[in-house]
Amino acid sequence: MKMSPQDKKLDEMLRSSTLVAGGFMGSDRRSVFEVIESDAATLEKAGLNASMVARRMRELTAAAQAGLGTWVDVDHGRIRVMSEDYKGVLVCPWGHAGHYPKRITIVECPETGQTLTWSDLNIHLIEAHGFFEGQGSAFRVEPDQAAAMLFEKDWD
Ligand SMILES: [Zn+2]
């Protein structure tokens, strides 16, 4: 994929550890735009898009906060959520103004033991940029996992 100098700069920034340890791309060798495109296609197959996922994540982070560090049941106990606050803030690598608190939200499905974790910055990256982060990145949100865990769906 041919990238403009500006796109290239963004891609390099996402791979560097300037903003977060290990960067946003993990070991992914695709360009950031290819990652975004491929994740959008995965979500589309589940009848979802990035803003629907981001909205749901925001709701769950709010629900988790009410638990003040303890598990909160959601969807009648199908999943449970918890949030943890860390010192510091994160910024958007696209250069958006604003700081995102280092809050981590954990979702667990007690029946399967499956978990999904995200930061407030993940929600912004997904909502504003459709970016779920690269494969192997510490905070990548797998779109198919998010689709399965965050939405009550009939999977037949
Ligand atoms: Zn942004």
Side-chain angles (χ1 to χ4, degrees), residues 4-24:
S4 70
Q6 209 182 341
D7 289 349
K8 242 187 130 203
K9 223 176 128 195
L10 172 68
D11 198 73
E12 277 163 19
M13 166 67 91
L14 290 169
R15 281 173 214 282
S16 77
S17 287
T18 312
L19 296 179
V20 293
F24 293 95

Side-chain angles (χ1 to χ4, degrees), residues 91-97 100 121 124-125 128-129:
V91 296
C92 172
W94 268 262
H96 275 122
Y100 300 87
L121 180 60
H124 169 77
L125 293 177
H129 308 286

Side-chain angles (χ1 to χ4, degrees), residues 38-82:
S38 144
D39 289 341
T42 301
L43 285 177
E44 208 181 311
K45 276 185 219 145
L48 297 167
N49 59 43
S51 57
M52 290 161 82
V53 174
R55 201 180 315 137
R56 180 69 168 143
M57 288 164 76
R58 199 183 295 286
E59 273 172 25
L60 291 173
T61 291
Q65 275 188 274
L68 302 170
T70 63
W71 289 109
V72 176
D73 281 345
V74 180
D75 288 354
H76 310 287
R78 185 185 66 85
I79 51 174
R80 55 185 193 163
V81 295
M82 184 163 65

